Amino acid sequence: MPESYVPKEAMGHGDGGSAALAIGEAESLERRPGAAPPGAGPPGAPVGKPRSLWSDAWHDLCRNPVFVLSALVILFLVVIAIWPQLIATGNPYRADLAKAQQGSQPGHPFGFDTQGRDVYTRVVYGARASITVGVCATTGAALLGSLLGGLAGFFGGWGDTLLSRLADIFFGIPVILGGLVFLSMVTSPTVWPVVGFIVLLGWPQISRIARGSVVTAKQNDYVQAARALGAGNRRLLLRHIAPNAVAPVIVVATIALGTFIALEATLSYLGAGLKPPTVSWGIDISTASPYIRSAPHMLLWPAGALSITVLAFILLGDAVRDALDPKLR
């Protein structure tokens, strides 16, 4: 046996594994051209393509039971908000004073309120106002905050300073007190004054998140390389910075949606939000509060629906945050 022969099992235990590296290089030279490397699978097998951040996040979300459960609850709420007739065939405004404050009966599982209206029907129809306010207010605040914060973070200068000071002013306004003052001057029974107020006080938080994400993204090497190759500001923002800075905004907006629904219910409970004849969980909770001892069902059902809705959106936001934030993996 030649002296230079070294058993293969003994290699890789010294000199940092240089012997094993040499053997691997020799085997690669001995392979026929076009042959697959060892362990690469059969010829013609598809080579795995690296997944993007969004596809990787979606893969993680689909395996997260919290996301699946909360998404199903939200999907159900959205469906009944659009088509409440699917599960409630009654009229939420029909009143029968002879049945006022009565409990559960056949065909009326949640009982009746102080005016003899079916609580079950009103709970189902109340989802429409809450979902509409939450979705519209979140969309408006996210668009406005992302636009202002993104432009301020990208260009900087006096515009960034002005936006920061303006956001500080809005942060100093108490939300409930501001809602009572602002909405007390509005007599419209629609949801739009409430949506406008929430957007007015909700955009500063999202603008700060968007600004920080843009400031971080524009310092990356790929942005500097694109700028060096002659890319303009519009291309840099839309093609390179926005796709990589939007994830934190989505997370904050998803969690804020549940908060905005709770804020609408709070303002309606205090009499400054939605007003009759609009069917709202906050209005029904306010009406039922004085009768919590004699007829607790009038309060528990709309309050339970509100709690489940807010919890579903908060859990959805937490799941999205865990999937989009690589530091939490």
Side-chain angles (χ1 to χ4, degrees):
M1 182 181 297
E3 294 181 359
S4 59
Y5 175 78
V6 180
K8 192 173 182 178
E9 294 80 1
M11 294 186 176
H13 296 286
D15 298 331
S18 58
L21 179 61
I23 285 181
E25 185 175 354
E27 290 177 349
S28 65
L29 293 175
E30 292 176 359
R31 283 200 305 271
R32 294 192 305 260
V47 179
K49 184 179 180 180
R51 294 181 301 196
S52 64
L53 170 64
W54 299 104
S55 60
D56 193 22
W58 177 251
H59 180 72
D60 292 342
L61 287 174
C62 291
R63 298 186 301 172
N64 189 343
V66 174
F67 171 80
V68 174
L69 180 60
S70 59
L72 290 176
V73 173
I74 292 172
L75 178 61
F76 173 75
L77 291 170
V78 171
V79 170
I80 67 172
I82 300 175
W83 299 290
Q85 301 85 358
L86 293 176
I87 62 173
T89 58
N91 187 342
Y93 302 105
R94 177 178 295 176
D96 186 357
L97 292 178
K99 299 180 180 179
Q101 302 185 27
Q102 293 184 8
S104 176
Q105 296 180 5
H108 306 279
F110 294 176
F112 299 88
D113 63 3
T114 55
Q115 300 182 27
R117 298 172 298 190
D118 184 33
V119 175
Y120 170 77
T121 304
R122 292 187 64 83
V123 168
V124 173
Y125 275 82
R128 174 177 294 178
S130 296
I131 297 297
T132 301
V133 170
V135 172
C136 294
T138 302
T139 302
L143 292 177
L144 181 61
S146 299
L147 179 63
L148 296 179
L151 293 177
F154 182 78
F155 292 105
W158 63 268
D160 186 15
T161 303
L162 178 63
L163 179 70
S164 298
R165 301 292 77 78
L166 184 63
D168 291 338
I169 294 175
F170 280 95
F171 274 123
I173 300 176
V175 178
I176 302 299
L177 180 59
L180 292 175
V181 174
F182 178 81
L183 295 175
S184 62
M185 300 180 295
V186 179
T187 58
S188 173
T190 63
V191 300
W192 303 116
V194 180
V195 171
F197 168 75
I198 296 177
V199 171
L200 184 64
L201 292 188
W203 70 266
Q205 179 185 10
I206 297 180
S207 70
R208 286 196 170 182
I209 299 297
R211 176 189 175 278
S213 299
V214 170
V215 169
T216 302
K218 76 175 185 179
Q219 297 174 356
N220 292 328
D221 294 337
Y222 60 86
V223 176
Q224 302 301 327
R227 188 186 297 274
L229 292 174
N233 291 333
R234 180 179 178 181
R235 183 178 180 85
L236 288 175
L237 274 172
L238 299 180
R239 295 292 300 274
H240 300 285
I241 294 180
N244 296 281
V246 72
V249 175
I250 293 177
V251 173
V252 174
T254 306
I255 298 176
L257 201 156
T259 305
F260 291 162
I261 291 177
L263 177 59
E264 176 273 318
T266 303
L267 293 174
S268 299
Y269 175 83
L270 296 175
L274 301 179
K275 300 174 178 61
T278 303
V279 181
S280 167
W281 291 333
I283 295 176
D284 288 349
I285 293 173
S286 176
T287 303
S289 295
Y291 307 96
I292 181 62
R293 293 186 178 181
S294 59
H297 64 275
M298 296 193 312
L299 175 65
L300 295 180
W301 291 115
L306 175 64
S307 301
I308 292 174
T309 303
V310 174
L311 180 62
F313 279 106
I314 292 178
L315 291 179
L316 182 72
D318 288 341
V320 172
R321 179 195 60 191
D322 295 342
L324 291 179
D325 192 349
K327 299 178 182 179
L328 299 178
R329 296 182 185 175

